[in-house]
Amino acid sequence: MSERPDRFGVDEIAERAEKAFAEAADLEVLEEARVRFIGRKGEITTLLRSIGSLPDEERPAFGDLVNDLRERILGLYERRKGALSDGAAEEDYFSGDPTLPGRRALSGGRHVLHQVLRDIKRIFFGMGYSLAEGPDVELDYYNFEALNFPADHPSRDTQDTFYINRDILLRTQTSPVQVRYMEKHKPPLRIIVPGRVYRNEAPDPSHASEFLQMEGLYVDRNVSLADLRNDVTYFVRAFFGSDAKVRFRPHFFPFTEPSAEADMSCFACRGSGCPICGKTGWIEIMGAGMVHPHVFRNAGYDPDAYTGFAFGLGLDRIAMLKYGIDDIRRLLSNDLRFLRQFWAETAGEVFE
Amino acid sequence: MKISLTWLKRYVPIEEDAATLARDLTMFGVNVEGIESLAPPFTGVVLGRVLEVKKHPGADRLSLCTVDAGGARPLGIVCGAPNVAAGMRVAVAVEGAVLAGGLRIKKSKIRGVVSEGMICSESELGLSENHSGIMSLDFDGKPGVSLEGKLGQSEYVFDLEVTPNRPDLLCHFGIAREIAALYRRKLVLPDRFELGAGGDFNLRIESGADCPRYTAAFVDDVIVAPSPAWMQNLLKSVGLGAINNIVDATNFVLMELGQPLHAFDRDTLAKDTIVVRRAKKGEKIVTLDGVERELDPGMLVIADDARPIAVAGVMGGRDTEVKAETKRLVIESAMFDPRLVRDARQRLKLETEASYRFEREADSGIMMDAAARACRLIQEMGAGTPSPACAESIHDPRSLERRTVSLRVSHANRVMGTELAGDDIAALLDRLELPSRSYGETVHVSIPTFRRDILEEIDLVEEAARVYGYENIGRDESARCSIFSEVPAEDLRKSSLVDFLVSRGFAEVVTSSFMDPADAGRMGWDGRDERAGPLRVANPLTEAQSALRTSLIPGLLGVVRRNTRAEQEEIRIFELGKVFLPGPERAGLPREELHIGALFARHATPLEWMAPRRQSDFFDMKGELEALLDRLGLLEEVKMMKPHDGKGQIFQWLLGGAVLAEGGLIAKGVSEGFDVDSPIFYFDLRLDELPPAGGGWPRFEAMSQYPAVKRDLCIVVADRVRYAEVRNIIMQQAQYLDSIRVFDYYRGGHLGEGKRSYTFRLSFRSSENTLDSIAVDREVHRIVGALQRELGAALRTE
Ligand SMILES: [Zn+2]
């Protein structure tokens, strides 16, 4: 190549042509650009006309130079034209207006309570828990007596009960499945028991007469309170985020001893106190404890041979906490505008 | 239950602030649900400076003080305190002030001299029981400044959740005992009058089982008056009103020691007698609240020689209550069978502080002490002269003895997940006033009467764990995982069906398990339909929730109603849930069946520009049900039929002999009954009728690698012939049929009356070779021949 500078400005023309072609958004504009550079009255023609002002000995070289330039620009033009033609439809696929909305089939989604249940089940299945279920309409024996709630004892007052008759009731907790399951299975066992439970309470924003609960039960030769704390902590962190903290407060349940209520650190204020946690920094999430020896005896287990823990959590409450739902009664309202809010694909995402 | 911080401090030193104490108690197992802060109970009290003190002209023990209380001129105040002196800064109650105990200050003449206010003692301000002199304030500030909220400590009241196993915590002393254990502090017992047994009185207990213990203490020379301000303030802080010194003293003991007491006016007792007996049939009593109540032999009463004077453990009678003119008292401190108290409370619908505690079995050892404490308070207030001897009945003296419960150290450690020594555990229990001794592997604990909840080893393990601190247990993060999860195949199938329905555009809903019994009629179920006789709840919240649902459909119709009102235009919903059919099941429990109910209402498609909008119709319903059945691998096995007694447009899908599903149009009348617009289509699938789940994982099968050959076939048949018959014949005849779709259906019109046509697209394919057109023609020929022969069908060519 010549080492001389771009004496006739051909490189500059080529650059301008390339730029003009690249900026052409459709074939029409591209055609205008082609005419401007290599049309009969285009820049190349004008350039060629200036040959007359050159000495004769330079004319052949100048002619070659301009022809090369024309070839170059033609090549650029063809490339751009090809690119534009590929995209431009021969047919009109979008009815002349691609901004019209697309065709949408109806979309569905799970109920928020069952989403929460599904997510919680996944975590416990991963920890080795199996699934068990029991009847909603239950014998007084399994709901109360076998769980160490004596007849006519004030501990029954903590759970207002719907009765069908003297012996049959709507279960107030999922715990009756503990004894039902232990009667049929030998340890070791590790189960979760989700199900609907009923309380004879006038509904208000934080109390429903029916709600979803989930029980956990783990029985083996040496299960301890320490194991309970570990499993509960693991669950809370898996569900609410790995920075969640858990604390156990002593409490009373007739069918566990020692008994505890588990709190988790408030996800909203991270423990500094806010309206969600009642300014305590902690949110109560479940009741738990070591299976009471009486319950083991009622199930036909030897309380000296086995120890175990049980826990129970209200899924409505968990859903309300997780999604900031203000009134428990919304969960059974089934207003589609409510249900749709929780269909977004955020599973696994730890909320702030 | 409400507990006052000031009150607690009578029995245990507390330096912690209210919030710290609340948190520590909560972590110790005494759940503090709230803290309320109360200002000291006075208004209109200001800072004053005593300018001058002179003798009262008419009384030696009174002084006449000139006090600067911030007003335009100093006030003249008569004061009886010996310690008043010029220059003192004092609390002055000016005209209009209201002091603790409700005393309102007015300008008044005292022995002939006008007093324009009052210089206050601590007792008058309700700050303490000290009334020996006026308060000297070391309080900077200008005279006249209000002292509200500036004097004394504000009062804090804790709202405690006391679980039914711990009746010992239903009083201040019980909470103080926990605080002493929590902080390892010394507990101070309240002073008691020296009371002994042996009093002479006609006390008769008819049944020791009904009333295991009864103590009657006596007080003479009674002067009924208001109780002192400090007592009124403490009672008020926990929500009890002040009545008079006697009743307040008994209430004070109730809140202090947890033992309910009752004071009778002894002079109103017929023949100076107390009998504890069952009520007689038809007997009546007017209780303290003025209500006449009818009693029966299921209830225990306290009576005199003539009539009932109290419902045992629940409420006293009006005739024998303490009145202004009362001179002599019988103070009852007793223990009753908790079941009798509970039963009477429920039947009389009368819950009292007393019944609440009696039902929970108060401390069986405290009767005499509680009576002695009340006597002491009455004596201190100058409200009467207690007698040193009380009358007492004890049914079973052994019930007053301490029990011994033992704990195995290794077992305790196994349950807690700790490695504590026997001495460690004994020391933990000692802190709770549970005297314990460790003998190697065993710890013996002597259980006081106030801990009736501790009956066996595990109860002690819990107490030890609580004092040791749950927060100190279980920091090992390595969860064991020796047991593997086994999820029932039915549950997996259930979730996959739900996911499938969701993918088909259904919104999952969750409706109530309850049903309005009237819905059976609205649904048009007749008497033979088991859904018409739902199980009733004996004590429902409302009539509309008084039965258990026998079908998901009524609830789903309610969801349609709600969402129609919310102007939702496309309604495609399902619920997977239980229904309850009264049926023979073991032990009288109903049959609980799992169903999927689905409804199709309003529009089936969104409002769009490219195609007209469509109402939900029968084939939306049928298509989704078929898709579900196909997913279950049952589409070719079920048989759709119209039930013999079927009304309207309802069909059943049978599997084997059993009804797997029903579906169709919700009758117009039914829709109207539920106040929803017709048409609504539904299906109801009984999951329990499905074959057992878990048939194993699907097995891969190789697909044919040869091309398919397509043929369209238009068949004209008589109007009585159905698509299913045509399809059956095609399926039977074809050998290489790969798929069959009907894509056109036409009735009447140019076909002529009584005719209909179906146009099929048949696709043929072999897994062994490429089908040539001769083979396909042969196949089609055979099909058409069979259709002509069996259905009289004609082949129509375009
Ligand atoms: Zn918070």
Side-chain angles (χ1 to χ4, degrees), chain A residues 163 210 221 227 230 257 294, chain B residues 414 456 459 476 512 538:
Chain A
Y163 285 94
E210 42 191 323
R221 294 207 172 269
D227 298 316
N230 291 338
E257 188 158 12
H294 293 181
Chain B
R414 189 161 74 126
E456 56 191 311
D459 302 320
D476 173 16
S512 171

Side-chain angles (χ1 to χ4, degrees), chain A residues 266 268-269 273-274 276-277 281:
Chain A
C266 177
C269 64
C274 72
I276 290 178
C277 54

Side-chain angles (χ1 to χ4, degrees), chain B residues 242-253:
Chain B
I243 296 166
N244 58 48
N245 47 7
I246 304 300
V247 176
D248 290 358
T250 58
N251 281 340
F252 187 84
V253 175

